[in-house]
Amino acid sequence: MRTFAIAALVVGALTLSACSKNRLDNEYGAGALGGDFVAGSPSDPKSPAYFQQTIGDRVLFAVDQSSLSAEGIELLTKQAAWLMENTAYTAVIEGHADEQGTREYNLALGARRASAVQNFLIERGVAPNRLQTVSYGKERPLEICSEESCYAKNRRAVTVLAAGGLVS
């Protein structure tokens, strides 16, 4: 008998919770409780994980170039839209270069790449005080090898999100 009473309580609680969700959905629209995703997960369109995995956080560059490719422009257009919609986030744009060339040259090239991304985002309406740039040159490679496939991955600018106040 005791097992039956516990089972009845569990079924009753589940029924009430379902009614509560349906009432909220009817009153405020479907998904009023946050939709079919876990907050902060890659399926949450307002999360940094979504930005990184669905929008994309990095733009690749050609050898010795800091100009944006068509693919880079497409990705940055999506980044700008996301940043305009999610104003609680600021971003640091990291400029990187491959291992070829001197440290000084690659730091300058990384800075130009980060600036190109920053300028594009600002042109699309992102407030300048929400964006910072930093250049790592060739100091933080994703891949280490003496092949073009590795070099290509290292020639990049990465938009790193941070929650909080405006960049000073």
Side-chain angles (χ1 to χ4, degrees), residues 8-118:
L9 285 173
V10 169
V11 169
L14 291 173
T15 303
L16 285 176
S17 69
C19 290
S20 176
K21 181 183 182 329
N22 287 338
R23 184 187 60 77
L24 286 172
D25 282 350
N26 290 336
E27 198 169 319
Y28 300 106
L33 294 178
D36 293 332
F37 56 82
V38 176
S41 73
S43 60
D44 176 359
K46 295 193 175 291
S47 74
Y50 178 90
F51 178 88
Q52 182 182 30
Q53 295 179 22
T54 304
I55 302 293
D57 67 346
R58 65 197 61 212
V59 175
L60 300 177
F61 291 88
V63 176
D64 295 327
Q65 296 295 310
S66 59
S67 56
L68 298 170
S69 65
E71 295 84 12
I73 289 171
E74 183 179 337
L75 184 133
L76 289 173
T77 299
K78 293 175 187 176
Q79 282 189 11
W82 191 93
L83 285 164
M84 294 295 292
E85 212 172 281
N86 296 280
T87 57
Y89 292 95
T90 59
V92 175
I93 303 159
E94 300 175 344
H96 299 269
D98 63 31
E99 297 80 54
Q100 302 173 90
T102 66
R103 182 177 188 275
E104 293 75 21
Y105 176 81
N106 284 320
L107 280 171
L109 181 57
R112 289 193 304 274
R113 289 173 174 166
S115 291
V117 169
Q118 179 186 39

Side-chain angles (χ1 to χ4, degrees), residues 150-165:
C150 294
Y151 294 150
K153 292 176 185 175
N154 293 330
R155 296 189 297 261
R156 68 196 190 280
V158 181
T159 304
V160 180
L161 297 177

